[in-house]
Amino acid sequence: MTRIVVLISGNGSNLAALLAAEDAAARRTVAVLSNRDAAGLAHARRCNLPTHVVKPRRGESREDYDTRIDAALAPYDPQLIVLAGFMRILSAGFVARHAGRLVNIHPSLLPKYRGLNVHQRVLDAGDAESGASVHFVTSELDAGPVLIQASVPVLADDDEAALSARIHKAEHRIYPAAVELIAAGRAHAESGSIWLDDTPLTAPLQARFDQHGVLIAWPQQLTD
Ligand code: GRF
């Protein structure tokens, strides 16, 4: 059983999706950590999970803050750290200490739109599709190798909220599936590439969703 700690900063809807799919899974979320009093912590508490809020201190360096995150994580000895809307950039030291055991979900079709305000940037650019990417974390922001992507159409009358809601639905399908692939030992990162079932992945796995966020295509490798 792979021990997981999930890091959040917001509503925790991805956390909820991960937990909902955990019963028959190869993983267990053993704690939830946040950098603030995030709304999503309430869900963790309802699930009787230990929660930790590690708030940044005034003038504290990124490294010192991340050392305190490590101290909070240590008792759980996590084999995988899952970032689910954790709104802090992690220091290079933290990323190195957990290399290959740190994953994130980003609400764009990486490598497009790294960083913040993704949905508005997609709308401003007039893109016909957007989505989300699950990737291993490296020291370069939102640039680690991508395991799976979900694409959704962008509609002419979309605003940020509508696009974000559609992408969230897709995230809730791909993130548990991706975390499970890693937890079950089917996928791992090695020298900047992802291996799936002992074969290097030449492109991210692809799932497609329609305008309602309904699944229309699922990666063949994930159907059993
Ligand atoms: C998601 O859109 C995720 O892609 C991004 O942060 C958001 C978290 O949403 N990294 P939630 O807190 O899981 O609802």
Side-chain angles (χ1 to χ4, degrees):
M1 196 60 78
T2 299
R3 283 184 311 283
I4 291 177
V5 174
V6 182
L7 273 55
I8 66 169
S9 300
N11 289 328
S13 69
N14 278 287
L15 166 69
L18 284 159
L19 293 175
E22 214 167 67
D23 273 358
R27 62 183 197 276
R28 278 296 168 270
T29 299
V30 293
V32 177
L33 187 145
S34 180
N35 59 324
R36 56 170 86 126
D37 298 312
L41 291 172
H43 186 73
R45 292 185 187 117
R46 277 197 297 278
C47 296
N48 294 318
L49 287 171
T51 59
H52 296 266
V53 178
V54 181
K55 291 186 183 172
R57 294 173 181 151
R58 191 189 296 260
E60 185 178 35
S61 71
R62 203 172 283 290
E63 288 73 17
D64 287 351
Y65 176 81
D66 288 353
T67 301
R68 291 199 294 122
I69 296 264
D70 265 328
L73 294 177
Y76 302 102
D77 192 19
Q79 294 155 297
L80 190 60
I81 299 169
V82 175
L83 307 179
F86 187 62
M87 297 301 287
R88 276 190 65 94
I89 294 174
L90 294 161
S91 60
F94 184 94
V95 171
R97 285 195 290 282
H98 301 286
R101 300 188 294 116
L102 193 51
V103 289
N104 183 42
I105 188 159
H106 182 74
S108 81
L109 294 172
L110 291 172
K112 294 181 88 174
Y113 305 108
R114 294 170 179 161
L116 296 174
N117 299 320
V118 170
H119 306 310
Q120 194 55 54
R121 287 154 64 203
V122 167
L123 294 171
D124 291 346
D127 290 4
E129 64 167 12
S130 189
S133 306
V134 178
H135 66 95
F136 284 91
V137 175
T138 58
S139 55
E140 196 183 341
L141 184 68
D142 300 328
V146 176
L147 171 55
I148 181 167
Q149 289 187 320
S151 57
V152 306
V154 179
L155 306 186
D157 60 352
D158 268 349
D159 57 12
E160 227 181 317
L163 181 56
S164 165
R166 192 176 307 120
I167 290 175
H168 262 98
K169 278 193 180 179
E171 291 185 348
H172 300 161
R173 295 294 293 269
I174 63 165
Y175 212 7
V179 170
E180 183 62 14
L181 277 182
I182 301 163
R186 287 185 61 193
H188 72 277
E190 200 177 301
S191 325
S193 304
I194 290 183
W195 290 67
L196 178 67
D197 298 333
D198 302 320
T199 308
L201 210 58
T202 50
L205 302 176
Q206 298 288 340
R208 282 198 303 127
F209 295 78
D210 72 8
Q211 67 270 31
H212 306 295
V214 173
L215 179 69
I216 48 176
W218 190 242
Q220 196 195 338
Q221 295 92 323
L222 299 191
T223 47
D224 42 27

